[in-house]
């Protein structure tokens, strides 16, 4: 990564944002959306609003962090509820699930923007996101959302570097995705499954793992952690503790993925 070009891209991002009359940002509290929100507030003081969806498919801590960030920085923030289970095409969990979910989310964001007279809505995808199967991007494009980070040519590594220079505590936050992405395509999404996944991932977080996933394969939980931390899962004491904890959640079997954490690993079954 060339630090000089990263800084130039940030300048280009600011220049683009300054031309907007007002902006509503889909804010998850993650690395990308926090960076975009921070830069937008700098470029458009008093004309930026953050909007966060509150849903069972997002860990409660994510919403808590997003609310704390906006409150601390005096940023207007709207938290609204979503009900993904009621969205046609969501709970069936076919490969286009994210398209239907994002389409409904964008409709909610559009209503908020129209009620406030806000000119533009932005989501915080970066250039790396364009290289994976992400049908939600298509839904956002159809809804007219702008993607300032992509327009500025910013990658994930560049965003982390710039976030660190800006003093954003999210600069090294692990990558996250909605909890529904832990369930294999074709396996119905239920509130119970999401709850099992959330509880399992909280256990891993409490044990100090930085990057993790609990993949729900019916009665089996497949654990992904970073390669350099896989050895910890075989520590006799921790292994016993995890087995008992995951069985209490409702899983009958516990498996460790020897390849380690891979974002989007569920997409392997797709013929892309």
């Amino acid at each position: 990564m060339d630090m000089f070009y990263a800084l130039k891209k940030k300048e280009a991002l600011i220049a683009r944002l300054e031309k907007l009359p007002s902006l509503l940002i889909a804010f998850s509290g993650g690395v990308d959306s926090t960076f975009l929100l921070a830069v937008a507030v700098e470029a458009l003081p008093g004309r930026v609003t953050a909007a966060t969806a509150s849903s069972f498919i997002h860990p409660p801590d994510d919403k808590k962090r997003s609310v704390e960030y906006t409150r601390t920085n005096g940023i207007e923030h709207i938290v609204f509820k979503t009900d993904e289970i009621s969205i046609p095409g969501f709970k069936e969990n076919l490969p286009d699930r994210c398209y239907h979910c994002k389409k409904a989310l964008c409709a909610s964001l559009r209503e908020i923007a129209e009620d406030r007279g806000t000119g533009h809505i932005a989501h915080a995808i970066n250039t790396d996101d364009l290289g994976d199967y992400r049908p939600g991007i298509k839904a956002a494009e159809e809804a007219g959302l702008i993607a300032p980070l992509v327009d500025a040519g910013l990658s994930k590594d560049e965003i982390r570097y710039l976030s660190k220079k800006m003093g954003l505590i999210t600069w090294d936050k692990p990558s996250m995705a909605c909890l529904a992405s832990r369930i294999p395509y074709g396996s119905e999404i239920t509130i119970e499954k999401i709850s099992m996944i959330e509880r399992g991932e909280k256990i891993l977080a409490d044990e100090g793992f930085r990057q993790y996933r609990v993949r729900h394969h019916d009665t089996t939980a497949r654990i992904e952690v970073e390669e350099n931390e896989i050895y910890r899962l075989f520590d006799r004491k921790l292994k016993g503790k995890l087995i008992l904890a995951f069985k209490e959640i409702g899983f009958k079997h516990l498996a460790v993925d020897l390849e380690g954490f891979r974002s989007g690993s569920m997409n392997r079954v797709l013929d892309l």
Side-chain angles (χ1 to χ4, degrees):
M1 181 190 69
D2 190 309
M3 293 181 288
F4 172 78
Y5 283 110
L7 291 169
K8 297 298 289 184
K9 288 177 182 180
K10 181 186 175 184
E11 291 177 5
L13 173 63
I14 292 173
R16 288 173 181 271
L17 293 173
E18 286 176 336
K19 296 177 182 178
L20 304 178
S22 56
L23 184 64
L24 179 72
I25 295 177
F27 180 53
S28 68
V31 179
D32 301 329
S33 64
T34 301
F35 171 73
L36 176 58
L37 181 59
V39 175
V41 168
E42 176 185 339
L44 298 168
R47 291 178 285 162
V48 177
T49 303
T52 301
S54 176
S55 163
F56 77 103
I57 63 172
H58 301 296
D61 286 348
D62 286 359
K63 184 180 77 171
K64 180 181 178 182
R65 280 190 291 266
S66 67
V67 170
E68 287 176 351
Y69 177 81
T70 53
R71 181 186 296 126
T72 300
N73 292 279
I75 301 169
E76 187 172 9
H77 189 194
I78 297 172
V79 178
F80 61 99
K81 288 188 176 295
T82 56
D83 180 21
E84 285 77 11
I85 287 293
S86 67
I87 299 171
F90 178 81
K91 68 179 181 180
E92 294 83 357
N93 197 22
L94 298 179
D96 64 348
R97 176 200 70 236
C98 287
Y99 173 83
H100 300 291
C101 185
K102 190 79 168 188
K103 183 176 181 180
L105 175 65
C106 290
S108 296
L109 292 170
R110 180 62 62 190
E111 288 180 9
I112 293 171
E114 290 177 354
D115 287 344
R116 301 179 57 77
T118 303
H120 294 81
I121 307 170
H123 62 148
I125 61 169
N126 61 64
T127 57
D128 294 341
D129 294 324
L130 304 179
D132 193 9
Y133 175 67
R134 294 179 183 266
I137 293 177
K138 178 182 177 183
E141 291 174 347
E142 291 175 352
L145 270 65
I146 61 174
L149 303 181
V150 170
D151 293 339
L154 284 159
S155 68
K156 190 74 167 189
D157 285 346
E158 290 171 328
I159 291 168
R160 287 191 184 279
Y161 165 74
L162 293 169
S163 295
K164 186 176 183 180
K165 282 190 67 69
M166 293 167 64
L168 300 177
I169 61 173
T170 51
W171 76 270
D172 66 342
K173 185 178 183 293
S175 298
M176 293 298 289
C178 89
L179 298 176
S181 66
R182 306 339 186 225
I183 302 173
Y185 294 124
S187 178
E188 183 180 3
I189 296 172
T190 66
I191 294 175
E192 180 185 8
K193 289 179 182 178
I194 295 295
S195 176
M196 292 171 71
I197 293 166
E198 180 184 337
R199 290 167 63 191
E201 293 195 349
K202 187 176 188 309
I203 290 169
L204 296 177
D206 289 345
E207 290 298 332
F209 288 97
R210 180 180 181 277
Q211 184 75 77
Y212 47 79
R213 294 288 188 271
V214 172
R215 308 294 187 182
H216 190 294
H217 296 272
D218 296 322
T219 60
T220 300
R222 174 167 60 89
I223 294 179
E224 294 179 10
V225 298
E226 291 180 303
E227 278 193 82
N228 63 352
E229 289 197 303
I230 290 177
Y231 77 94
R232 290 187 56 208
L233 296 172
F234 296 96
D235 172 79
R236 183 181 296 273
K237 183 177 179 180
L238 179 57
K239 182 175 70 173
K241 184 177 180 180
L242 292 178
I243 290 171
L244 287 175
F246 274 75
K247 284 186 176 180
E248 286 181 3
I249 290 172
F251 290 108
K252 296 186 182 300
H253 308 285
L254 189 58
V256 175
D257 194 317
L258 296 181
E259 290 187 80
F261 166 76
R262 284 125 36 237
S263 180
S265 68
M266 291 302 199
N267 289 336
R268 282 187 172 184
V269 300
L270 302 177
D271 183 19
L272 301 176

